[in-house]
Amino acid sequence: GANKTTREYLVIEYAPSKRGAPADKLFIPTDQLDQVSKYIGAEAPKLNKLGGSDWAATKAKARKHVHEIAEDLIKLYSARQRAKGFAFSPDTPWQKELEDAFPYQETADQLTTIDEVKSDMEKPVPMDRLICGDVGFGKTEIAVRAAFKAVQDGKQVAVLVPTTLLVQQHQETFTDRFEGFPVNVAAMSRFQTTKEINATIEGLENGMVDVVIGTHKLLNPKIKFKDLGLVIIDEEQRFGVEHKETLKALRTNVDVLSLSATPIPRTLEMAVTGIREMSTLATPPEDRLPVLTYVGAYEDAQVTAAVRRELLRGGQVFYVHNRVQDISSIADKIHTLVPEARVGIAHGKMGEKQLDQIIRDFWHRDIDVLVCTTIIETGLDISNANTLIVDHADRFGLSQLHQLRGRVGRGRERAYAYFLYDPSKPMTEQSHDRLATIAQNTALGSGFDVAMKDLELRGTGNLLGDEQSGHIEGVGFDLYVRMVSEAVEKYKEPDEDVEPVSVSIDLPIEASIPIDYIDSDKLRLEAYRKLASARNEADLKDLKEELTDRYGKPPVEFETLFDVARLKFKARKLGVSEILAQSNRVRIGRIDPPESIQMRMTRIYKGTQYRPVTHQLIIPTPFTGSLGQGPMSSDQVVLWTNQLLDDLAWRPQR
């Protein structure tokens, strides 16, 4: 380590500067880890040369683009802040009655989230809240309660869902929950007849219909609401750009509640907070068990055993086969393997009436095995179906596999998921990675890890619309998100200079995280990085509490790292970019002190020089640049430097 003190560094390899030369390496001190972020994109990134300009160009291109997005977001946000929404009344006794009738125990997250939603609704500013929660974590119940609250104030509610099956599902749920209350629920999808749809449209216009659940058919400009108060969007990420435009028009003064099962990485959530409120449901409902997941080659015997085991306990099976051409031959095959099973088929190319009937039959347990395409991917909630078999699973995307697995294990029974592939065909490396990931992440709520992995495997184009994906690929997801949040901050507070000075401190101090305190390299890096990203005392306090909680009381060398972080805060305020000890002097970089301060420093610290060309102050020190040479301990060096910064910050009293 430098100065004979022990420090840890992260080594980064760059593209070699000349053909055939070894790769250039850069050593990053741990207190600057906040400058480094992991690249997450679809393809491996192209390496840049050390010190070349191509990286800066890529970044500048992305930054320009990011400013445009930030501007749109901010415009939408400020329009919403200025818009007068409707302030809903506090809960009625009926609301309590409806909530008490919920047959399950709410999770703590559910209770917090519903409170957040209600308090948003009661404010005069229109609500725009996004609720993220893994498949089956009780988002629908939150929608039910919010809708009921809106109806209590004579407002209408539109629930927008991506698939016809979900319309039906929600219609059953909402009707069930509102039973015994004067709330009129209608549905609009291709399952309804023209006559039913016209009646619903009329009911929306004259106020007879309180809650309407439908697919994008609801966005038809012909549909007029008498008094729309709340829009609930389920599986928000499934709607296309043009749908979102129509929604934006609705959005400025109507309360909007969006639900999403694709967890948004925490970083992106940070970027958009302040623009949209966000709640996360992270706790699985009581007595939920993780789905036992098996990945392997397809064998008749195994499928037979899996179906039989489910039938023996009176359950039902989803068998997913994503090709309509030969789906009926698969159904016949299952019938041959398990003759006692009643087999049904469902896919999107069937007529509405027929599909509707099949789903109802499955719902009412007249079918044991439903052979279907991914039409069931979102929202078919049948708690009696607890075995899922997916053939040719290697052809599916990761989030699709996760969503499909979320269709089972919704009751109290242990659920099984079999992801099978054809042993005779070679599998691509990406498919292999996907299946490995889904096999590893079986814990409840693991959707988050799956989503991050999915971003790595597939890139993030559809997270923010396609025109973004090129730029995200260029700089990687993490940095991209950081750029978005910086740009948003800049628009919110244009006078403040957001680009923080990066401060580098190199002093003869024993400060590191001892290996016997955190032995995993990965976790140690994470701790260094959190420390480097801390921006104020509160961040340090949080970090210290978290580390004490996880690893016990931090040792002395680690405490010193916190002192160095405080020196960084102080230096940053003064605009100082480096404090560097060299033999028995310290160099303070990039500053332009007024003459009075220069004079003062020369007076206090004998032998001080100022170098105007490089904007550096060179100050003699009582310690030498290497530890153990001078009489000063690490603590004393910190105290001395602290005093030095105070002297620099001194302003004459007027």
Side-chain angles (χ1 to χ4, degrees):
N3 303 333
K4 291 200 182 137
T5 56
T6 328
R7 287 184 74 173
E8 294 192 83
Y9 288 87
L10 178 73
V11 184
I12 296 185
E13 277 195 14
Y14 282 77
S17 42
K18 290 199 252 341
R19 262 232 166 99
D24 286 335
K25 289 193 167 109
L26 179 64
F27 287 82
I28 315 265
T30 44
D31 63 347
Q32 292 190 41
L33 277 183
D34 55 329
Q35 305 282 315
V36 182
S37 60
K38 179 172 186 270
Y39 175 87
I40 298 179
E43 303 303 320
K46 176 171 123 296
L47 290 187
N48 297 113
K49 290 188 181 63
L50 188 54
S53 60
D54 17 342
W55 173 238
T58 312
K59 249 170 53 174
K61 237 169 55 191
R63 184 159 273 138
K64 176 175 166 295
H65 214 89
V66 160
H67 277 288
E68 291 164 15
I69 296 188
E71 201 172 3
D72 289 352
L73 283 174
I74 290 290
K75 276 186 190 145
L76 186 70
Y77 176 63
S78 48
R80 272 202 26 254
Q81 286 300 343
R82 283 197 305 272
K84 278 296 278 174
F86 178 79
F88 286 91
S89 326
D91 284 358
T92 60
W94 271 3
Q95 183 85 27
K96 185 171 180 331
E97 205 176 307
L98 170 93
E99 298 187 0
D100 291 344
F102 184 51
Y104 307 100
Q105 182 58 49
E106 296 95 339
T107 65
D109 292 352
Q110 258 182 321
L111 292 171
T112 322
T113 303
I114 190 70
D115 285 344
E116 290 169 344
V117 170
K118 286 176 178 173
S119 85
D120 280 358
M121 289 174 74
E122 289 168 15
K123 290 189 187 109
V125 172
M127 162 167 82
D128 186 4
R129 184 173 283 277
L130 172 63
I131 295 177
C132 280
D134 215 335
V135 189
F137 274 32
K139 297 185 292 289
T140 316
E141 177 62 17
I142 289 167
V144 164
R145 294 180 184 191
F148 194 72
K149 185 176 180 67
V151 174
Q152 297 296 292
D153 267 342
K155 293 281 188 185
Q156 291 170 305
V157 181
V159 183
L160 192 65
V161 297
T163 63
T164 10
L165 292 183
L166 258 176
V167 171
Q168 191 181 324
Q169 178 87 52
H170 279 343
Q171 188 189 3
E172 300 234 4
T173 311
F174 276 71
T175 315
D176 271 359
R177 292 287 285 113
F178 292 161
E179 204 182 344
F181 294 102
V183 180
N184 188 1
V185 181
M188 276 182 88
S189 73
R190 43 178 206 146
F191 282 164
Q192 277 69 41
T193 59
T194 318
K195 189 172 151 207
E196 289 173 320
I197 285 188
N198 289 338
T200 301
I201 292 180
E202 197 178 317
L204 288 171
E205 229 174 286
N206 64 25
M208 287 306 290
V209 171
D210 299 307
V211 178
V212 61
I213 301 168
T215 51
H216 52 268
K217 276 190 179 339
L218 280 182
L219 297 175
N220 186 334
K222 288 214 239 5
I223 296 178
K224 301 278 182 285
F225 287 86
K226 182 175 183 198
D227 190 1
L228 180 64
L230 173 66
V231 175
I232 297 174
I233 306 166
D234 196 7
E235 292 296 332
E236 186 194 43
Q237 70 289 349
R238 301 275 308 266
F239 287 95
V241 177
E242 60 287 356
H243 297 150
K244 290 197 171 141
E245 288 311 306
T246 324
L247 285 172
K248 261 186 205 157
L250 276 180
R251 238 187 203 172
T252 45
N253 57 2
V254 175
D255 281 18
V256 179
L257 181 63
S258 317
L259 315 174
S260 165
T262 302
I264 289 183
R266 174 94 187 102
T267 35
L268 193 73
E269 169 188 333
M270 302 287 290
V272 197
T273 30
I275 291 184
R276 296 181 70 176
E277 298 301 320
M278 173 139 178
S279 310
T280 311
L281 298 176
T283 1
E286 288 287 309
D287 59 26
R288 256 299 170 71
L289 301 163
V291 178
L292 285 180
T293 305
Y294 170 83
V295 174
Y298 176 94
E299 287 168 37
D300 280 349
Q302 187 166 27
V303 170
T304 312
V307 173
R308 284 224 160 102
R309 180 170 63 196
E310 191 54 69
L311 297 188
L312 276 173
R313 62 175 186 181
Q316 294 161 285
V317 180
F318 285 119
Y319 187 105
V320 178
H321 174 81
N322 220 11
R323 282 180 51 192
V324 177
Q325 302 88 299
D326 52 0
I327 196 163
S328 48
S329 65
I330 296 283
D332 293 343
K333 183 170 177 185
I334 288 175
H335 203 260
T336 318
L337 292 172
V338 190
E340 68 271 28
R342 295 166 300 176
V343 182
I345 297 177
H347 57 77
K349 299 226 165 74
M350 295 166 76
E352 276 84 64
K353 284 283 165 285
Q354 200 185 354
L355 188 56
D356 191 23
Q357 196 48 54
I358 290 274
I359 298 295
R360 276 170 205 256
D361 288 348
F362 193 56
W363 180 277
H364 297 135
R365 308 190 180 185
D366 299 330
I367 292 175
D368 300 316
V369 181
L370 184 65
V371 180
C372 52
T373 54
T374 47
I375 185 164
I376 64 156
E377 180 185 353
T378 41
L380 195 61
D381 181 359
I382 294 183
S383 54
N384 193 43
N386 282 311
T387 292
L388 164 79
I389 302 171
V390 180
D391 68 12
H392 296 296
D394 48 323
R395 296 184 191 158
F396 291 88
L398 194 63
S399 49
Q400 257 187 323
L401 292 172
H402 182 70
Q403 287 274 14
L404 285 168
R405 181 170 60 188
R407 296 298 116 223
V408 294
R410 311 192 74 140
R412 304 193 165 170
E413 298 288 338
R414 165 67 84 183
Y416 299 91
Y418 296 87
F419 295 118
L420 309 173
Y421 51 84
D422 180 349
S424 61
K425 297 209 176 64
M427 207 184 330
T428 67
E429 192 182 342
Q430 272 207 331
S431 305
H432 184 271
D433 275 359
R434 278 199 293 262
L435 290 173
T437 302
I438 202 85
Q440 283 152 14
N441 290 297
T442 56
L444 292 167
S446 63
F448 184 81
D449 308 326
V450 172
M452 274 322 265
K453 190 70 190 163
D454 198 26
L455 284 176
E456 291 185 44
L457 291 169
R458 199 195 42 191
T460 43
N462 49 9
L463 200 86
L464 292 160
D466 292 337
E467 70 282 11
Q468 290 309 314
S469 60
H471 298 282
I472 299 178
E473 288 305 302
V475 295
F477 181 72
D478 238 24
L479 177 62
Y480 182 82
V481 162
R482 241 188 325 187
M483 287 174 157
V484 174
S485 41
E486 276 171 18
V488 165
E489 277 304 308
K490 219 177 193 113
Y491 277 106
K492 278 161 83 178
E493 290 165 13
D495 345 322
E496 290 193 21
D497 188 17
V498 180
E499 197 65 28
V501 200
S502 117
V503 185
S504 139
I505 294 186
D506 197 349
L507 294 165
I509 290 175
E510 270 297 355
S512 64
I513 302 179
I515 293 184
D516 52 17
Y517 180 58
I518 303 180
D519 56 359
S520 139
D521 288 348
K522 187 172 156 222
L523 294 174
R524 211 165 55 251
L525 264 180
E526 183 196 339
Y528 275 128
R529 183 185 176 134
K530 281 185 172 158
L531 189 61
S533 326
R535 287 282 171 262
N536 51 39
E537 200 53 53
D539 290 353
L540 288 184
K541 184 168 169 279
D542 289 349
L543 178 62
K544 193 162 172 182
E545 280 172 7
E546 180 191 336
L547 291 167
T548 311
D549 186 38
R550 280 168 74 175
Y551 309 106
K553 189 175 172 333
V556 177
E557 309 90 304
F558 196 176
E559 288 284 357
T560 316
L561 277 174
F562 282 90
D563 295 334
V564 175
R566 292 186 184 99
L567 286 176
K568 272 174 89 166
F569 300 157
K570 216 170 214 182
R572 188 178 287 126
K573 274 212 177 87
L574 289 171
V576 168
S577 60
E578 60 167 2
I579 303 175
L580 198 64
Q582 292 165 319
S583 61
N584 54 356
R585 301 194 302 234
V586 69
R587 185 173 91 202
I588 297 194
R590 296 293 319 160
I591 61 170
D592 296 304
E595 291 233 334
S596 59
I597 292 275
Q598 281 180 47
M599 306 266 292
R600 181 184 154 84
M601 295 306 280
T602 344
R603 205 172 60 246
I604 304 178
Y605 301 92
K606 302 275 178 286
T608 294
Q609 304 161 357
Y610 179 62
R611 299 186 179 155
V613 185
T614 51
H615 305 287
Q616 288 168 341
L617 263 177
I618 307 290
I619 297 175
T621 65
F623 53 84
T624 56
S626 50
L627 198 70
Q629 297 288 313
M632 291 183 109
S633 68
S634 297
D635 286 353
Q636 291 168 312
V637 174
V638 170
L639 280 171
W640 184 87
T641 316
N642 221 340
Q643 181 59 52
L644 174 73
L645 288 172
D646 286 345
D647 290 331
L648 262 181
W650 181 83
R651 291 281 172 270
Q653 300 296 319
R654 292 251 147 88

